[in-house]
Amino acid sequence: MMQQNNIKNLIRISALLLFWAGHSNAQIGVGIENPTNPVEIKTDAGKVIVDNTGRLGVLVASPKVAIDLRSGNNGAVAVGNTNKTAVQAGAGALRYVGSPAIGVKGYLEFSDGTNWVSFFPKGKPRIIVMASKTTQDTYVFESGTPAEIGPKSGIVQRRSSYLTNWTEKLDSDSGVPTSNFSPSTGEFIAPRTGIYFATFTFALQSSQVNTGGNNQTEAIWEVRNPAGTITQRVKTNNGYASDTGAAPNAVPVGSACTVSVYLNKGDKLRPFTWITVAFDGTISQFDISDSGAYNSLTIVEQ
C-alpha cells in the first residue's frame, strides 16, 4: 500500500511539472484572451503591459523606459515618505517630504547614496526679515556700572546697547510668514544652518559732537550659539570730527553694519551699538522721522 501511495504522489508531481513546463513561456492575460506581451491587464482606461524587455507600460503600448506612464491620459506617479537614511535607501531613491518646516508646502528629495538632496518647487527656500525702528527703546547689557543694565530710552554713551522694539515689516520663509525674528528684542534665530546676509543702520538726531578725539559710532552684529555663548562680533566704526563747537553747531550721527555670517541652526543674530559722540553717560536719541527710514534691519538667507 505504501508503495502504491508513493507511485501516486510521483505521478502527481510529474503532472504538475509537465503543466508548469508547458506554461512557463506563455503570456499572462487578465481580461484579455490572446495577450501579445508577457503580461497584459485590461482596465477601463486601457491596457497595462510588461513587454519582452521587462518594461512596464501603463496605457502605453510600447514603453521606452523601465516604467512608462506617458499615455497622455492623466499619467502620474505617487511617491511616499520614508524614515530610511539616504545610505539605507540607496542612491537614486526618491521620497516626498510633506510636512517641512521651511515654508514650502512639500517637496521631493533624492538619495545620492550619502545624503537626501532636495528639489524645492520654487527654488531654494529663503529667510527674509525686514524691520524698521520707530521707538527710542534700547537695552544696556554691558556697563561698568551694574545698576545701568536694563532698558533705556535712547542710546547711552559708551555703553553696549541692544536695539529693541522694532517694527516688523516682513518675517518670511519662502513667502510663508514665520517667527524667526523677535521684534521686541531684535534677535533673529536661524531655523537652519546656512549663510545669512544681514545689515542694519541707525541714525541719531543731529547734535553737537564734543567728546574730543575719540568720537565714533559702532554698529555691531553679535552671534551667540543656542547656549548663549558669544561666537563672533562684527562691527563697523564711523569716526567724526573731534568737536563741532558750541550750539547751534550740530551734525547727524549714525552708523551701519553689513555682514555675511555662517549660522548654525539655533544660532542667534542680534544688532547692538556702542557710541561716544557726547559726554560719558549722556543719552542720545534716534532720528525716527519718516517712519524710521534711517533705522532699518534686513536679514536674507543666501
Side-chain angles (χ1 to χ4, degrees):
M1 182 64 68
M2 183 178 294
Q3 186 174 5
Q4 283 181 325
N5 289 335
N6 288 337
I7 292 172
K8 288 179 180 179
N9 289 334
L10 181 59
I11 292 172
R12 291 192 185 100
I13 293 172
S14 298
L16 289 172
L17 289 173
L18 287 171
F19 177 82
W20 175 256
H23 289 76
S24 59
N25 295 320
Q27 287 82 8
I28 298 173
V30 178
I32 299 173
E33 290 187 1
N34 298 304
T36 57
N37 290 285
V39 177
E40 292 189 16
I41 302 172
K42 182 181 179 181
T43 73
D44 290 341
K47 290 193 296 186
V48 178
I49 70 163
V50 176
D51 68 12
N52 290 318
T53 65
R55 293 172 178 166
L56 173 66
V58 179
L59 312 184
V60 177
S62 301
K64 301 296 189 295
V65 293
I67 299 176
D68 202 330
L69 309 176
R70 296 170 293 183
S71 68
N73 190 18
N74 294 322
V77 60
V79 179
N81 205 339
T82 178
N83 291 324
K84 288 185 177 180
T85 65
V87 175
Q88 292 169 333
L94 193 66
R95 72 177 183 179
Y96 174 73
V97 181
S99 300
I102 62 167
V104 294
K105 300 301 183 182
Y107 57 93
L108 293 175
E109 291 184 330
F110 74 89
S111 167
D112 64 4
T114 304
N115 299 299
W116 287 107
V117 182
S118 301
F119 294 104
F120 296 115
K122 298 181 180 178
K124 184 180 184 295
R126 294 189 186 280
I127 302 294
I128 300 179
V129 171
M130 300 179 71
S132 62
K133 185 163 175 52
T134 58
T135 71
Q136 298 294 339
D137 298 339
T138 63
Y139 187 93
V140 173
F141 67 96
E142 287 180 348
S143 172
T145 305
E148 290 183 333
I149 303 298
K152 297 289 185 292
S153 180
I155 300 179
V156 183
Q157 299 287 318
R158 305 182 66 83
R159 311 291 189 267
S160 294
S161 302
Y162 291 125
L163 280 62
T164 57
N165 288 329
W166 293 79
T167 299
E168 181 180 286
K169 304 294 186 181
L170 182 68
D171 184 358
S172 166
D173 191 339
S174 305
V176 176
T178 57
S179 56
N180 299 310
F181 176 71
S182 170
S184 62
T185 64
E187 185 176 75
F188 168 78
I189 300 179
R192 54 182 172 267
T193 299
I195 297 174
Y196 294 81
F197 176 86
T199 184
F200 83 96
T201 66
F202 71 89
L204 304 179
Q205 296 175 8
S206 294
S207 61
Q208 293 175 262
V209 176
N210 52 16
T211 59
N214 294 321
N215 298 334
Q216 62 188 36
T217 62
E218 297 180 359
I220 308 163
W221 280 108
E222 177 185 82
V223 179
R224 293 178 181 263
N225 63 23
T229 302
I230 298 172
T231 58
Q232 60 178 311
R233 282 177 172 174
V234 183
K235 71 179 178 179
T236 299
N237 180 359
N238 291 341
Y240 293 87
S242 61
D243 201 311
T244 60
N249 296 334
V251 295
V253 174
S255 190
C257 186
T258 299
V259 297
S260 286
V261 291
Y262 181 85
L263 301 179
N264 291 303
K265 180 179 180 180
D267 281 353
K268 303 170 182 180
L269 181 65
R270 194 173 185 182
F272 76 92
T273 68
W274 190 94
I275 67 174
T276 173
V277 293
F279 295 110
D280 185 45
T282 301
I283 296 180
S284 297
Q285 299 295 301
F286 291 103
D287 182 349
I288 58 174
S289 61
D290 295 328
S291 300
Y294 303 110
N295 312 299
S296 62
L297 174 151
T298 302
I299 300 170
V300 180
E301 182 184 13
Q302 301 298 289

